[in-house]
Amino acid sequence: MFGGYDRIRKAVSAPSGTDWVTPYVDALAAVPKSLRESLYSPEYSAFVSASGSSSDLIAEHLRAAPGDTLEVLTDFEIGSRLPAYHLRRVDHLSMSASVEVRLPFCQPSVVQYARSLPRDLKIAPGKGKKVLYSAAEGLLPDSVLNRPKQPFTLPITAMLRPGQPLMDFARDALSADRLRSRGQLDPQRVDALFETQASAPNDQAAMAIWSLMVHELWLEQFCGPPASVTTGERALEGLK
């Protein structure tokens, strides 16, 4: 609502006439499109190309939406991203512990006020949430106002290192036999991803392995073990 994410600032700041949609949509994904598609089996790659991916649908929606860039992004972030991603996580995590969460920034009056602000009160060169930072000046110490953003993330790269239990678990979950049975991923490409993470651990490879592992566990729970999954559309739909 206040233009606080890097992906929003970069899109709004993109030079006129340039494609801001593609990098913005790529920033929404856990794994960049180029790496994601390089892991697909030939059959699944053809399926995605023919039917379109979630990223393709989002990009089409953004390009067709009326309004300036910030207005289009705000509509999408509030209407789709916020309820489907952020609020769903908050609801699941809080209610699993019987905690009732209140979200001040989701108050209708706050949303209405934020939507009424002009762009230059939200995004300044190299910085978002301008109006919030201005309101907090003199009330919060500079060490708080100027510190780098501290996202709530797991130390996935550290957890997915050789010798760590999660690395062994991930290798088992994404074994070549399992991947061949699913028909979605190229076992050799996934194995190369593990080798990259083993020799030179990095955030991108770790997040890709984590995402594929979670997806495989989801498939096993809701679609059955690999042996019971055919190479037809039911097997292919899961990773799109």
Side-chain angles (χ1 to χ4, degrees):
M1 287 179 284
F2 291 96
Y5 285 102
D6 286 342
R7 62 178 180 269
I8 297 176
R9 294 201 299 275
K10 289 178 180 178
V12 171
S13 302
S16 178
T18 60
D19 176 24
W20 60 264
V21 173
T22 299
Y24 169 80
V25 173
D26 213 29
L28 296 174
V31 182
K33 184 176 182 179
S34 58
L35 173 57
R36 191 168 68 237
E37 293 186 345
S38 74
L39 301 173
Y40 294 164
S41 66
E43 296 80 10
Y44 187 65
S45 182
F47 172 80
V48 172
S49 296
S51 61
S53 66
S54 298
S55 294
D56 295 332
L57 294 175
I58 293 172
E60 290 174 10
H61 168 76
L62 294 174
R63 290 193 173 99
D68 64 22
T69 302
L70 183 58
E71 185 178 1
V72 169
L73 289 177
T74 304
D75 285 341
F76 174 75
E77 291 276 350
I78 294 178
S80 298
R81 177 75 171 181
L82 182 65
Y85 185 78
H86 301 286
L87 296 184
R88 179 181 60 80
R89 286 184 168 189
V90 170
D91 187 59
H92 287 187
L93 292 171
S94 60
M95 293 308 294
S96 68
S98 299
V99 175
E100 191 76 26
V101 171
R102 291 291 181 264
L103 301 163
F105 280 89
C106 288
Q107 290 288 339
S109 58
V110 176
V111 175
Q112 184 178 5
Y113 175 70
R115 294 304 303 267
S116 73
L117 294 173
R119 186 175 78 175
D120 60 358
L121 288 183
K122 296 180 183 181
I123 298 176
K127 191 172 186 178
K129 299 186 286 189
K130 179 180 177 181
V131 69
L132 292 181
Y133 280 100
S134 297
E137 286 181 1
L139 301 176
L140 294 175
D142 290 342
S143 59
V144 173
L145 289 175
N146 299 322
R147 71 181 180 183
K149 185 166 182 172
Q150 297 174 296
F152 182 73
T153 57
L154 293 172
I156 294 173
T157 304
M159 295 161 65
L160 283 169
R161 289 177 180 268
Q164 295 297 318
L166 186 63
M167 186 69 151
D168 296 333
F169 182 85
R171 281 190 177 275
D172 289 340
L174 298 172
S175 67
D177 289 341
R178 278 174 172 259
L179 298 183
R180 276 191 289 267
S181 297
R182 297 288 186 198
Q184 298 168 325
L185 300 172
D186 183 329
Q188 290 185 329
R189 297 287 180 87
V190 175
D191 185 64
L193 192 64
F194 274 104
E195 293 306 314
T196 297
Q197 180 62 11
S199 60
N202 64 84
D203 293 345
Q204 181 171 282
M207 181 57 71
I209 292 171
W210 170 269
S211 301
L212 295 176
M213 178 190 71
V214 171
H215 177 256
E216 173 58 34
L217 298 177
W218 180 90
L219 278 176
E220 185 166 320
Q221 180 175 353
F222 293 102
C223 299
S228 68
V229 179
T230 69
T231 57
E233 286 197 2
R234 181 171 155 226
L236 295 172
E237 279 289 347
L239 193 60
K240 189 175 75 169

